[in-house]
């Protein structure tokens, strides 16, 4: 099984440790993982702003980089959601369709494809609050949604429950968006910040030491808000915990 | 906020012992601080509304913002509890959506059926192409009957038509019979929410408005006192009005009847006090059969307020003895919307307001920040159909989180339509130049790996270009209320080159 590793731009530049954890974790399962060096981004920032024409060349590059792999795996629900559900600025050739269908977010890949039942190396003796990115939650079905009448489930919580010592805390508005929203965080900064403050206060009141998420973008926003409020809250990507990080 | 709540479907707070009033908050939301009420968006001719600016002023009034957020989140939670009480909830939503889609795709048929049956019931049916025609038809009816005062119940359609202002210019007094709408009328402000029009006001704001307009004690903001005073002052106006106007929630084609749902019984007041009754109804309200109605009745108030049903569900099938009943069926852009492939399903909307209650942006911005008749998620996708330029920035007042789509009782794919509008606006040159230029630069950089690598080669330059290529732009909006992440020592890209030197890195 040949896996193409997609490391989104902000993880590459600001949270390289998340890329490293994802790579090492996949390698632990004996997978043949490659990182195509010419990768940049999936095109989401432009389409998110309505600029589909401006996104086409970036989407094309993405497909060029990842054609031929059995699976493309990325530690970001938001980017994977774009590739799978919204990448339509580029002409829909067979290659494009195939790359889109084969792109998985790390949690889904571990849960649905590899069906991992144990992470013997993982131990995280902390109280954690789980944050689901909205695209991962409502677009990729990472977990049941509080607005719908459906049986409760959560793929990330399922994986984390196999980690020794980890204890969940539950916030009062689990599905509430944290206010990142891509370009929204810039163009509507007042509301974005307020949503972020409310979110980190909710984590904090629930008694969380760590916020864990499958998306670095939301966490970067929340971390910025928590630091501004001088909260001792810590943030960690799910890939790091599953790969055995202790703190 | 407590860590003790379970993470499962029982995560709602315990039910209060007393029965909830349908429109009341189930938690006390008394504010002890006097704070001036933040006003809505600045309207500047046909310039695009700056929702973000108005939202910032709303957030800068923390008592208002906190109360508004808590009050609407409370409604959302009450809605969730009702949903869990109905095993077939998702089937109901599907059914409601299918009935509406069927009715909308056979709209001409059902409207004609309604007209014929309504006429047979003794109802006068009028057709209005747009707001002007709607207003003119009603004015001529009122003049024919020498009406000096009209009482009316809440109707978003009349807001669309600028009806109150038009009547004022025409010398006819209008008195709102819905309490929230009456408060808004007295304050000369538009409704901020389709179901709870004055939800953005604290009780101290209402006390100030009533003191100014009704002569009440400005320091007494007890709700019973305020309600009673308003009632005492308004009832006499209602009792000798010569005409009453209502909207309608549903129009039933097979029976030629229409249905109005309220909690205060105010539509009945408007309909039954004077002998001349008029109903302003958007053409999208029609449903085929009476049998379809219960599907919507079960969904409407549960979605809106988290109560099983509205206090009043009033059916109107003809004039009162000795009276007249007129229905004005209004298009006002609806048939044009029906022709929009991506957006026509927005006409399924039953105006329950659930999408507003759940919207994290709406809750923190207030409905008046949108500067349009329809606020919140549903507003973002229908306001641009009224005026694409003026409302061109509204579809950006969303994080595209999708909660609105999930609560919508008629399953409108609201957040996808919001994204769809962004694309349409970009293609029709309605994006601010700055956004367009940024996106063009980003698109260029991101499609050229060598340029991209050079751009983020140093921590400083990475901060300028990443993340998302605009976060650390020259306007530096990110750092306004958030700390910026520490610059990395090395990128993943560099780490990989060092640590996996033989990594294939190339596809087969
Ligand atoms: S769009 Fe849906 S949720 Fe929003 S007001 Fe209309 S029916 Fe209610």
């Amino acid at each position: 099984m040949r896996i193409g590793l997609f490391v989104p731009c902000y993880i590459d530049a600001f949270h390289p440790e998340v890329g490293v954890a994802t790579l090492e974790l996949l390698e632990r399962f004996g997978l043949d993982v490659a990182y195509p060096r010419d990768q940049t981004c999936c095109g989401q920032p432009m389409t998110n702003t309505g600029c589909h024409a401006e996104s086409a060349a970036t989407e094309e590059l993405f497909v060029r980089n990842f054609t031929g792999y059995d699976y493309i795996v990325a530690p970001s629900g938001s980017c994977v959601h774009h590739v799978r559900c919204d990448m339509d600025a580029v002409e829909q050739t067979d290659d494009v369709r195939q790359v889109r269908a084969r792109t998985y977010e790390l949690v889904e890949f571990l849960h649905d494809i590899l069906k991992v039942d144990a992470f013997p190396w993982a131990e995280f003796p902390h109280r954690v609050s789980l944050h689901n990115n909205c695209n991962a939650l409502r677009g990729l079905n990472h977990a049941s949604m509080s607005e719908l009448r459906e049986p409760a489930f959560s793929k990330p919580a399922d994986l984390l429950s196999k980690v020794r010592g980890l204890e969940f805390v539950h916030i009062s508005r689990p599905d509430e968006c944290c206010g990142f929203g891509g370009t929204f965080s810039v163009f509507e900064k007042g509301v974005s910040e307020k949503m972020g403050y409310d979110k980190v206060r909710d984590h904090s009141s629930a008694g969380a030491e760590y916020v864990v998420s499958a998306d670095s973008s939301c966490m970067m926003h929340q971390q910025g808000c928590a630091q501004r409020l001088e909260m001792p809250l810590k943030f960690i990507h799910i890939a790091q915990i599953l790969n055995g990080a202790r703190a | 906020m407590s860590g003790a709540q379970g993470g499962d479907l029982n995560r709602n707070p315990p039910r209060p012992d007393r029965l909830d009033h349908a429109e009341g908050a189930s938690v006390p939301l008394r504010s002890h601080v006097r704070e001036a009420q933040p006003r809505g968006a600045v309207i500047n001719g046909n310039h695009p509304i700056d929702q973000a600016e108005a939202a910032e002023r709303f957030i800068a009034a923390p008592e208002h913002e906190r109360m508004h957020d808590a009050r609407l989140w409370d409604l959302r939670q009450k809605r969730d509890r009702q949903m869990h009480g109905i095993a077939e909830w998702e089937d109901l939503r599907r059914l409601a959506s299918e009935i509406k889609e069927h009715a909308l795709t056979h709209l001409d048929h059902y409207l004609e059926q309604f007209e014929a049956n309504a006429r047979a019931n003794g109802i006068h049916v009028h057709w209005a192409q747009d707001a002007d025609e709607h207003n003119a038809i009603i004015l001529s009816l009122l003049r024919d009957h020498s009406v000096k005062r009209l009482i009316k119940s809440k109707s978003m359609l009349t807001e669309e038509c600028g009806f109150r202002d038009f009547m004022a210019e025409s010398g006819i007094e209008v008195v709102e019979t819905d309490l929230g709408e009456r408060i808004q009328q007295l304050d000369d402000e538009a409704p901020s929410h389709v179901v709870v029009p004055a939800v953005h006001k604290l009780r101290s704001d209402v006390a100030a408005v009533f003191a100014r307009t009704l002569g009440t004690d400005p320091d007494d903001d007890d709700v019973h006192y305020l309600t009673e005073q308003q009632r005492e002052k308004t009832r006499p106006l209602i009792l000798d009005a010569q005409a009453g106007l209502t909207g309608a929630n549903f129009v039933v084609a097979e029976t030629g009847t229409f249905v109005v749902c309220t909690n205060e019984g105010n539509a009945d007041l408007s309909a039954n006090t004077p002998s001349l009754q008029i109903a302003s109804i958007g053409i999208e309200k029609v449903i085929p059969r009476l049998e379809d109605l219960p599907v919507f009745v079960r969904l409407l108030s549960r979605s809106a307020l988290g109560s099983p049903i509205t206090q009043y569900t009033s059916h109107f099938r003809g004039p009162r003895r000795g009276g007249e009943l007129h229905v004005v069926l209004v298009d006002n852009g609806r048939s044009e919307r029906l022709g929009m492939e991506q957006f026509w399903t927005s006409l399924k909307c039953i105006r329950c307001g659930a999408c507003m209650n759940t919207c994290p942006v709406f809750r923190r911005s207030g409905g008046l920040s949108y500067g349009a008749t329809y606020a919140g998620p549903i507003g973002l996708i229908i306001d641009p159909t009224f005026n694409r330029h003026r409302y061109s920035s509204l579809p950006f007042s969303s994080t595209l989180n999708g909660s609105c789509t999930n609560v919508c009782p008629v399953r409108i794919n609201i957040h996808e339509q919001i994204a769809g509008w962004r694309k349409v606006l970009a293609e029709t040159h309605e994006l601010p130049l700055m956004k367009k230029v940024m996106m063009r630069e980003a698109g260029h950089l991101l499609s050229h790996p060598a340029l991209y690598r050079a751009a983020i080669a140093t921590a400083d330059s990475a901060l300028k270009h990443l993340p998302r290529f605009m976060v650390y732009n020259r306007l530096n909006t990110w750092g306004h209320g958030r700390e910026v992440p520490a610059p990395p020592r090395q990128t993943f890209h560099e780490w990989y080159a060092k640590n996996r030197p033989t990594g294939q890195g190339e596809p087969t």
Side-chain angles (χ1 to χ4, degrees):
Chain A
M1 203 193 276
R2 278 178 52 76
I3 311 290
L5 174 65
F6 171 41
V7 178
C9 55
Y10 54 90
I11 292 183
D12 174 50
F14 292 109
H15 295 285
E17 69 282 1
V18 173
V20 174
T22 306
L23 175 66
E24 289 179 352
L25 181 57
L26 293 172
E27 287 174 343
R28 282 180 192 268
F29 296 105
L31 300 170
D32 177 10
V33 188
Y35 166 80
R37 288 165 204 266
D38 274 353
Q39 60 180 279
T40 57
C41 163
C42 61
Q44 185 179 205
M46 287 78 77
T47 34
N48 187 296
T49 315
C51 298
H52 290 239
E54 287 73 8
S55 176
T58 304
E59 294 184 355
E60 209 179 299
L61 175 68
F62 183 91
V63 173
R64 256 203 322 275
N65 276 313
F66 287 103
T67 299
Y69 290 101
D70 297 316
Y71 290 100
I72 297 107
V73 178
S76 164
S78 164
C79 303
V80 168
H81 177 261
H82 175 74
V83 172
R84 197 185 299 161
C85 308
D86 290 332
M87 192 188 251
D88 45 21
V90 64
E91 194 197 322
Q92 301 296 299
T93 61
D94 285 348
D95 278 351
V96 172
R97 269 194 291 270
Q98 216 162 57
V99 163
R100 291 182 61 180
R102 291 177 178 185
T103 300
Y104 280 78
E105 185 280 325
L106 178 66
V107 167
E108 314 179 281
F109 185 71
L110 297 171
H111 190 276
D112 299 347
I113 306 295
L114 293 186
K115 303 193 190 336
V116 177
D117 55 15
F119 300 89
W121 50 81
E123 181 173 355
F124 199 70
H126 302 285
R127 285 190 312 278
V128 307
S129 177
L130 176 63
H131 173 73
N132 287 319
N133 163 281
C134 292
N135 287 326
L137 177 69
R138 299 193 184 87
L140 300 179
N141 284 330
H142 260 198
S144 51
M145 301 164 243
S146 58
E147 303 95 354
L148 298 182
R149 199 176 197 288
E150 59 177 352
F153 70 94
S154 168
K155 294 176 188 178
D158 235 38
L159 297 179
L160 288 169
S161 68
K162 305 180 200 317
V163 174
R164 269 194 315 281
L166 184 144
E167 185 194 330
F168 286 109
V169 300
H170 299 286
I171 61 175
S172 69
R173 301 184 185 187
D175 290 357
E176 174 102 320
C177 175
C178 71
F180 176 65
T183 51
F184 177 85
S185 62
V186 180
F187 295 127
E188 189 127 4
K189 69 171 171 21
V191 177
S192 173
E193 286 162 11
K194 185 63 175 58
M195 287 167 67
Y197 295 158
D198 290 350
K199 180 55 96 177
V200 296
R201 285 192 187 109
D202 204 353
H203 290 307
S204 177
S205 321
E209 286 171 70
Y210 280 88
V211 177
V212 57
S213 176
D215 263 86
S216 295
S217 52
C218 302
M219 284 202 292
M220 195 168 57
H221 163 69
Q222 292 181 35
Q223 185 162 25
C225 292
Q227 285 173 355
R228 179 56 58 95
L229 297 177
E230 299 183 350
M231 281 181 181
L233 215 50
K234 288 175 277 195
F235 293 80
I236 190 164
H237 194 281
I238 191 168
Q240 296 169 273
I241 296 184
L242 297 179
N243 189 45
R246 293 285 192 276
Chain B
M1 295 189 208
S2 124
Q5 286 162 355
D8 56 8
L9 297 175
N10 298 320
R11 58 167 79 106
N12 299 316
R15 300 204 60 149
D17 295 334
R18 64 189 169 82
L19 272 178
D20 288 335
H21 179 278
E23 292 185 29
S26 53
V27 285
L29 293 171
R30 194 171 177 112
S31 164
H32 295 285
V33 182
R34 282 251 166 153
E35 179 185 81
Q37 187 200 321
R39 295 292 168 177
V42 177
I43 310 287
N44 183 5
N46 202 36
H47 281 278
I49 298 288
D50 189 350
Q51 194 270 341
E53 180 275 330
E56 287 192 17
R57 278 189 282 111
F58 194 72
I59 291 168
E63 287 299 309
H64 284 81
E65 189 272 338
R66 194 177 313 139
M67 178 280 302
H68 191 255
D69 173 64
R71 172 90 168 78
L72 295 178
W73 181 254
D74 183 51
L75 291 182
R76 160 71 207 279
Q77 288 188 299
K78 290 204 276 187
R79 172 231 173 249
D80 289 359
R81 284 201 290 271
Q82 289 293 333
M83 167 184 75
H84 288 300
I86 305 239
E88 66 275 25
W89 181 261
E90 300 301 337
D91 291 333
L92 274 182
R93 290 176 69 223
R94 250 184 300 277
L95 200 53
S97 169
E98 283 165 13
I99 295 168
K100 277 284 184 183
E101 288 192 9
H102 170 82
L104 288 166
T105 44
H106 301 83
L107 194 55
D108 49 347
H109 169 73
Y110 287 117
L111 286 171
E112 280 168 17
Q113 194 184 348
F114 168 75
E115 182 183 27
N117 290 331
R119 283 196 206 282
N121 293 340
I123 299 176
H124 300 271
V125 180
H126 309 258
W127 298 85
Q129 183 73 48
D130 54 22
D132 289 346
E133 270 188 36
H134 164 267
N135 293 347
I137 289 168
I138 294 182
L139 182 61
S140 85
L141 282 173
L142 299 178
R143 293 230 160 112
D144 286 351
H145 290 78
S146 314
V147 173
K148 295 270 174 313
R149 184 186 303 129
L150 170 76
I151 52 175
K152 91 179 250 299
S153 66
K154 192 166 65 199
S155 146
M156 291 310 293
L157 175 59
T158 56
E159 292 296 322
E160 257 178 55
C161 295
F163 181 74
R164 232 156 48 195
D165 287 346
F166 175 80
M167 283 292 130
E169 286 160 22
S170 312
I172 290 175
E173 184 188 0
V174 174
V175 177
E176 296 284 352
T177 54
D178 174 274
L179 175 58
E181 197 68 56
R182 178 69 175 153
I183 294 169
Q184 290 308 93
Q185 180 184 26
L186 292 172
D187 198 22
D188 198 19
E189 211 175 38
S192 72
H193 185 290
V194 293
V195 174
V196 275
V199 68
H200 60 294
K201 280 183 160 69
L202 298 175
R203 59 175 79 187
S204 54
D205 300 329
V206 177
V209 173
F210 284 3
R212 199 173 70 232
T213 53
L214 304 176
T216 57
D217 174 359
D219 294 318
D220 193 344
D221 64 1
D222 177 71
V223 284
H224 302 284
Y225 167 74
L226 291 172
T227 315
E228 197 181 328
Q229 287 291 314
Q230 189 283 141
R231 190 186 169 94
E232 290 299 314
K233 299 272 173 6
T234 308
R235 267 303 141 110
L237 302 178
I238 292 175
L239 291 176
D240 69 354
Q242 300 90 29
L245 181 82
T246 69
N249 294 85
F250 306 101
V251 164
V252 184
E254 78 171 354
T255 52
T257 60
F258 63 94
V259 178
V260 187
C261 306
T262 72
N263 281 310
E264 297 169 22
N266 56 299
D268 307 85
L269 212 54
S270 303
N272 293 323
T273 313
S275 58
L276 172 62
Q277 184 195 352
I278 306 170
S280 294
I281 305 175
I283 54 173
E284 84 284 14
K285 298 283 184 202
V286 70
I287 55 174
R289 302 165 304 177
L290 197 57
E291 201 182 303
D292 300 322
L293 183 66
V295 175
F296 296 96
V297 171
R298 293 183 76 193
L299 286 167
L300 178 62
S301 194
R302 288 189 168 92
S303 300
L305 299 163
S307 67
I309 192 167
T310 46
Q311 307 290 331
Y312 298 83
T313 302
S314 309
H315 296 245
F316 296 97
R317 67 172 297 134
R320 285 192 298 145
R321 198 167 299 139
E324 275 180 36
L325 175 52
H326 295 257
V327 161
V328 187
L329 292 168
V330 188
D331 185 318
N332 203 31
R334 285 160 175 75
S335 34
E336 195 193 329
R337 213 178 298 151
L338 194 56
M340 304 173 97
E341 208 193 322
Q342 254 194 92
F343 305 118
W344 71 275
T345 55
S346 62
L347 287 163
K348 291 189 289 183
C349 177
I350 58 171
R351 307 278 188 265
C352 71
C355 57
M356 302 173 187
N357 302 345
T358 203
C359 178
V361 178
F362 182 91
R363 270 187 268 111
R364 291 167 179 88
S365 309
L368 298 176
S369 68
Y370 296 78
T373 301
Y374 297 100
I378 183 63
L380 304 188
I381 61 175
I382 60 178
D383 293 327
T385 67
F386 290 105
N387 184 332
R388 189 171 291 188
H389 184 63
R390 183 191 282 183
Y391 304 124
S392 57
S393 76
L394 291 189
F396 294 90
S397 295
S398 162
T399 62
L400 303 180
N401 64 76
S403 186
C404 46
T405 297
N406 280 353
V407 296
C408 178
V410 288
R411 291 171 59 96
I412 300 172
N413 58 336
I414 308 174
H415 74 297
E416 288 169 7
Q417 293 194 29
I418 297 173
W421 269 109
R422 293 183 181 183
K423 182 167 181 237
V424 167
L425 292 164
E427 284 167 359
T428 53
H429 313 291
E430 290 287 359
L431 239 52
L433 188 62
M434 178 191 75
K435 260 188 203 176
K436 194 80 182 167
V437 168
M438 269 184 188
M439 291 305 133
R440 200 172 295 146
E441 283 175 1
H444 183 70
L445 202 61
L446 288 169
S447 54
H448 294 84
L451 282 183
Y452 167 76
R453 283 290 148 200
I456 65 161
T458 67
D460 269 3
S461 66
L463 281 172
K464 222 174 284 154
H465 293 285
L466 280 170
R468 306 279 174 148
F469 294 85
M470 61 290 307
V471 164
Y472 299 99
N473 61 53
R474 43 198 170 274
L475 307 174
N476 193 24
T477 40
W478 180 275
H480 170 266
R482 289 162 287 218
E483 298 302 319
V484 294
R489 279 159 312 190
Q490 66 179 357
T491 62
F492 175 80
H493 196 81
E494 290 158 353
W495 179 93
Y496 191 83
K498 257 180 237 143
N499 291 275
R500 297 289 188 279
T502 56
Q504 297 94 331
E506 303 303 328
T508 44

